[in-house]
Amino acid sequence: SVSETVKVDPDDTEPPRLNYRKVNDDGTVTFIFSDDSGISFKDIYEESSCGQISYPVSWDEDTNAVVFDYPSSRSVIYVPDVTGNRLKLVVNV
């Protein structure tokens, strides 16, 4: 069992924001998010239009970069922060 204590602002109701995205030469997409609330990187996932769940190829907590394989169809990326707010990012191919 692992427990983690995180100090949060109870008045924080804003989810993370997408700052920009970049398509990489290796067939992946890098998303850079704001980190005003503390992104919960381990809880980020992508859901395809057919309901398949996938997780980031990698992420960098220092730069707030999250890398996914380039989607083959419409998908939704969910980016939660530590206070329970969640960005729902629709990715159209």
Side-chain angles (χ1 to χ4, degrees), residues 41-46 54-59 65-69 77-78:
F41 288 93
K42 64 181 176 38
D43 296 317
I44 296 173
Y45 67 95
E46 178 180 28
S54 58
Y55 298 94
V57 173
S58 65
W59 67 78
V66 179
V67 178
F68 278 96
D69 286 326
I77 296 176
Y78 295 94

Side-chain angles (χ1 to χ4, degrees), residues 58-78:
S58 65
W59 67 78
D60 183 336
E61 293 182 32
D62 293 329
T63 62
N64 301 325
V66 179
V67 178
F68 278 96
D69 286 326
Y70 194 83
S72 58
S73 64
R74 181 182 180 272
S75 65
V76 179
I77 296 176
Y78 295 94

Side-chain angles (χ1 to χ4, degrees), residues 19-43:
N19 287 343
Y20 70 91
R21 90 179 164 104
K22 175 178 75 169
V23 178
N24 306 311
D25 292 336
D26 64 356
T28 60
V29 181
T30 299
F31 298 93
I32 306 294
F33 298 99
S34 69
D35 192 21
D36 299 335
S37 306
I39 295 170
S40 182
F41 288 93
K42 64 181 176 38
D43 296 317

